[in-house]
Structures are given as structure tokens and as C-alpha cells.
Amino acid sequence: MKKMTNKLPENFFWGNSTSSMQTEGAWNVGGKGKSVYDVRPATENSSDWHDAIDEYHRYNEDFDLMAKQGMNCYRFQISWSRVNPTGDGDFNEEGIEFYNELIDALLAKNITPMICLYHFDMPLNLAEKYNGFLSRHVVDAFVRYSTEMVKRFGDRVKYWITFNEQNLYSMSEAFRIAGYLKGDETDDELYQISHHVMLAHAGVANYIHENTDCQIGGMLAYSEVYPASPNPKGILYARQINEFLNRNLLDVFVYGRYSNEVLTFVKNHHINMDYQPDDDKVLIKVTSDFIAFSYYRSDTISSEMVPEGTIPNYYLDKGVKKNPFLETSEFGWQIDPLGFRDILTKVYNEYGVPMFPIENGIGVREEFDGSEIEDDYRIKYHRDHIQAMEDAIFEDGVEVLGYLGWGLIDIPSSSGNMDKRYGTVYVNRTNHDLKDMKRVPKKSYWWLKHVIKTNGGDLADLK
């Protein structure tokens, strides 16, 4: 293990990230309206979304575990339909009070709250009536909801993001996560959703910067993408993926404008992205106080596997190839700490905005038999990625605000699969049996506690 001679800042953030539908449960409690997740049934390999890990009733227990581990930051999500049941009408004061109490509980334990305003759980009413973010009405509804949350909580919550992994709205995932229930999933609709989501982000970011002392940044799901060979076409495809899925949004987050290459592509291919004349007035004012991103893996693209005529937004749907130089998790994700360093460094080099990795982790099947879970694989994953981050900071000069793991207390995965566990704390439930939901620290819990205590200074195994 490399000996560190540099030290991270004393105010460096160490913490946990989650979403509301993967933690809260209480889907029909406290005046909450239905979201699109609340009507999704359980399947053979997934749970429904009614209970999650019951953090609605047990958040103090989970915050105690975070505080005992030394965490000083928790990025959580407000459920839009909990505070605004139809997504459009009156606000629900009981739901707002829940988050008031949750925020105060975090602050009492010296844990800095960070709020995400949307993590794919569109209020069902807006999805059914307007087809989600395909409609500009939903853009306005989101800005109304979000600015109300800033007014309610901005006195205590100083770090905000609008959309979890916003570049997913530029990919085929857009139709699943934007409240889109009906349509043909055309290229026009993809670009309209992506643009509308950016307008929604802009409305909130501009409000925060014009009216508060809070900070806000854009967030991407950033996967390093390599060409599968020296084939120049593959190198072109890898660059285009980064341009269309990442830099196009980063250009707005930092410079207030879309990528010239992407706008030229839209014009040349006659794509109708619903770009209205006044949209420039909103976008040009956008700035970011930090760039947030999730990082789990890298991908490798083979241009030979991509059908001719495929737009760059869909290359990864067609041409991903296994990288022989990397380990692969049991869920098929390739583990690549060096890619993490490269993203931190290249984005900071180009945009000069502080970087904030707010999701990182590995999902693994685990069972609790009464003894401590020996998750050395998770310790290795986080150690290697924290080391890569420190290399970016100390060797490459990147300004990094903190390191937040994903779901460090077990939660259902994004597909609802409780078998895919990311946590340093085990939650005793399965996909179809809630059991007692007892929280049990794993070996990695104590390792990460030591890492945080040393502020990243000692990443070695505990003796």
C-alpha cells in the first residue's frame, strides 16, 4: 500500500448516498401520493417498492450507524409525491414535516445533508396525464416543487442536486426514468426529454444562485468508455459517447450552452428537440458550484458491433464488449479504479470546477447466518477507488469535495433486487420476505470507519 505524504482537507466529506424509493418505504403513509414506482409489482428477482428498508420509521437508527462510522455527509432524496402528492397541486405539510425532522436529526449528529430532488420516481399523476418530462408542463411543475423545497430547507441544507445521473436522460434509460408511459421512443422524443430535463435543472439552479447561499451542481452517471481496439472508428465512437452523453451536459452545467458537435448533429439529422427561442435565456445563466457524479465501472465499445445508422446516444446499447484487462463483478460490471481517476482528472482539467463523486460501490449477493459478513471484496473495491481518488487529488491536482458511497446500508438495487447489496451494513430482508430488517455491520463497516477516522490516511486492512 502506497504511503500517503499528503492529507485531505479537514472538511472533506465522507458519507452515504441513497434514493427515497430505495430507503423510505411507507409508500401510502403520511399523505404521500403514488409515484410510478409504487405501482410496479414484485417479480421473481425483485421486490415491490412499498417497504424498502423502512427508513421512514427507522432513519434515526440508520443515522446512528452513519455517525458511529464517522460519516459527515448524507445525500438523500426528497420524494416528490410525498411532499406534493399529485406533483402539481397542493403541498403536503405532513410530508414536508417528515423531511424537516430528518434534516434536523442529521444536523444533530453533525452529518451535513445533501438533497437530490429527483431520482426517477415521477408522481404517477404527472406520468399518466402528461407523459412525464416529455411535457413542458412537467418542467414547470418540477421547478415549482423544487423551489418550494429550497425555500423550506435551504436554511439548513446547503448542497443540492436536481437530477440523479442526468445524462441517463440522453440514453435509452430516459424512457424508463422520466415518467414516460406511452409513445414510440423516437429520437425526437429522446432529445425532447433530455432538453426538458436540462431546462428543469436550469430553472432550479438559477433560482438557487439568484436567491440563496446554497450550492448546486449537475450530476452525471459517468462510466469511462474505452475503444475495444486501435480501430480508428472505435476510437471515434468512444469519443462521441463522451461528447454526447457527458460533455454535452457538462458544457451546460459550466458554460450555459450545449456542445457544438451535438447541436450540429441535431441540425444535420433533423431532430426536433423542442428547442424554443427563449430557452437560451434560461440556459445561459446556468453555472455549477461542483460537478457531482456516480462511478461504478468502465465500459468498452466495439464499433463493429454497432449497426450503421445508430445515433451516438445508443452506441452503448449495441456495442459493449468485455474488457479482458479488468475484473468483472457477478452482475457483469467491470471494476476499474483507474477509470475513476481518469474521470476526476480529465473533467477537472477541462472545466475547473470542484469534483464530487457521490456514488461508488459494488453490488454483491450476501447472506447473513448470524456471524459477521467477511466482505473483503467490498473493502478492496472501496480501497482501490479511494486510492485512485487520492492519486487524482495529490498527483494530478484535482479539487475533490468528498467521497460518498452508494447504499452503504443495504437497500434494494435500482431494479428492486434486494440480492444486489452495496452496504457496509446488512439489512435483514429478502426480495419477498421482510423479516425483521435488523441492521448488522459487516467487516467493511469497521474498515471504512477507520478510513474515515484517519481522513483517508490509512487504507490498509485492519489487523
Side-chain angles (χ1 to χ4, degrees), residues 1-8 338 341-342 344-346 348-349 384 386-400 459:
M1 179 59 57
K2 186 186 303 181
K3 182 177 176 59
M4 275 181 52
T5 56
N6 298 284
K7 292 184 178 180
L8 295 172
L338 193 59
R341 174 182 175 179
D342 189 58
L344 285 164
T345 301
K346 70 184 177 186
Y348 186 74
N349 284 350
D384 291 348
I386 292 170
Q387 183 65 65
M389 174 189 70
E390 291 177 349
D391 290 344
I393 295 169
F394 300 129
E395 297 184 22
D396 304 339
V398 180
E399 182 180 357
V400 179
L459 307 183

Side-chain angles (χ1 to χ4, degrees), residues 110-144:
N110 296 312
I111 299 174
T112 297
M114 179 183 193
I115 286 178
C116 172
L117 290 159
Y118 186 81
H119 196 123
F120 316 151
D121 58 340
M122 175 70 62
L124 184 62
N125 172 66
L126 294 181
E128 292 179 336
K129 189 179 291 186
Y130 298 103
N131 220 11
F133 279 107
L134 193 61
S135 166
R136 282 186 177 243
H137 177 90
V138 174
V139 174
D140 294 338
F142 177 80
V143 173
R144 172 179 175 265

Side-chain angles (χ1 to χ4, degrees), residues 229-299:
S229 75
N231 182 342
K233 191 173 183 180
I235 294 170
L236 172 68
Y237 277 28
R239 187 198 62 75
Q240 286 180 316
I241 289 167
N242 192 42
E243 187 71 21
F244 279 69
L245 301 184
N246 301 316
R247 292 189 70 261
N248 184 46
L249 278 69
L250 289 166
D251 280 359
V252 183
F253 293 153
V254 179
Y255 303 136
R257 54 168 173 74
Y258 287 118
S259 154
N260 175 68
E261 180 181 355
V262 174
L263 289 180
T264 302
F265 180 90
V266 166
K267 179 181 178 182
N268 289 344
H269 289 77
H270 308 290
I271 293 173
N272 174 17
M273 61 183 289
D274 189 35
Y275 205 119
Q276 302 297 326
D278 287 343
D279 293 350
D280 282 333
K281 299 176 183 178
V282 178
L283 297 181
I284 196 64
K285 294 190 292 182
V286 174
T287 59
S288 287
D289 300 297
F290 53 85
I291 297 299
F293 68 103
S294 63
Y295 181 84
Y296 297 95
R297 68 185 196 274
S298 62
D299 291 313

Side-chain angles (χ1 to χ4, degrees), residues 58-324:
R58 304 176 70 149
Y59 64 80
N60 276 309
E61 179 182 358
D62 290 342
F63 295 173
D64 283 341
L65 284 162
M66 293 181 204
K68 183 177 180 180
Q69 201 172 27
M71 290 183 179
N72 60 0
C73 186
Y74 180 42
R75 169 228 153 171
F76 66 96
Q77 181 219 345
I78 292 175
S79 167
W80 186 353
S81 57
R82 187 175 296 284
V83 297
N84 188 203
T86 67
D88 225 3
D90 294 338
F91 286 93
N92 173 30
E93 294 300 326
E94 188 174 352
I96 291 171
E97 182 57 25
F98 165 73
Y99 291 110
N100 259 320
E101 294 175 1
L102 183 150
I103 290 164
D104 287 344
L106 286 169
L107 293 172
K109 299 181 189 304
N110 296 312
I111 299 174
T112 297
M114 179 183 193
I115 286 178
C116 172
L117 290 159
Y118 186 81
H119 196 123
F120 316 151
D121 58 340
M122 175 70 62
L124 184 62
N125 172 66
L126 294 181
E128 292 179 336
K129 189 179 291 186
Y130 298 103
N131 220 11
F133 279 107
L134 193 61
S135 166
R136 282 186 177 243
H137 177 90
V138 174
V139 174
D140 294 338
F142 177 80
V143 173
R144 172 179 175 265
Y145 141 69
S146 298
T147 53
E148 183 67 19
M149 296 303 99
V150 174
K151 291 174 186 175
R152 299 292 190 116
F153 305 131
D155 59 330
R156 288 157 292 157
V157 179
K158 300 303 179 182
Y159 295 89
W160 296 76
I161 57 173
T162 49
F163 293 94
N164 180 70
E165 301 179 327
Q166 190 173 329
N167 54 340
L168 296 186
Y169 299 91
S170 301
M171 306 166 68
S172 56
E173 282 286 285
F175 300 106
R176 183 181 67 84
I177 63 179
Y180 177 97
L181 297 183
K182 53 187 179 293
D184 297 324
E185 300 187 11
T186 64
D187 295 346
D188 285 357
E189 288 181 329
L190 176 70
Y191 273 80
Q192 286 165 18
I193 289 171
S194 178
H195 179 52
H196 291 168
V197 168
M198 183 57 83
L199 289 174
H201 168 82
V204 179
N206 293 343
Y207 174 85
I208 282 178
H209 285 140
E210 292 167 4
N211 296 280
T212 79
D213 63 350
C214 299
Q215 296 189 40
I216 187 168
M219 184 200 172
L220 303 180
Y222 221 130
S223 296
E224 184 82 319
V225 177
Y226 306 112
S229 75
N231 182 342
K233 191 173 183 180
I235 294 170
L236 172 68
Y237 277 28
R239 187 198 62 75
Q240 286 180 316
I241 289 167
N242 192 42
E243 187 71 21
F244 279 69
L245 301 184
N246 301 316
R247 292 189 70 261
N248 184 46
L249 278 69
L250 289 166
D251 280 359
V252 183
F253 293 153
V254 179
Y255 303 136
R257 54 168 173 74
Y258 287 118
S259 154
N260 175 68
E261 180 181 355
V262 174
L263 289 180
T264 302
F265 180 90
V266 166
K267 179 181 178 182
N268 289 344
H269 289 77
H270 308 290
I271 293 173
N272 174 17
M273 61 183 289
D274 189 35
Y275 205 119
Q276 302 297 326
D278 287 343
D279 293 350
D280 282 333
K281 299 176 183 178
V282 178
L283 297 181
I284 196 64
K285 294 190 292 182
V286 174
T287 59
S288 287
D289 300 297
F290 53 85
I291 297 299
F293 68 103
S294 63
Y295 181 84
Y296 297 95
R297 68 185 196 274
S298 62
D299 291 313
T300 302
I301 187 75
S302 170
S303 58
E304 291 90 346
M305 296 166 60
V306 179
E308 287 296 326
T310 302
I311 64 174
N313 307 72
Y314 294 147
Y315 285 169
L316 289 172
D317 292 337
K318 309 292 186 181
V320 170
K321 189 173 184 179
K322 188 174 181 179
N323 189 328

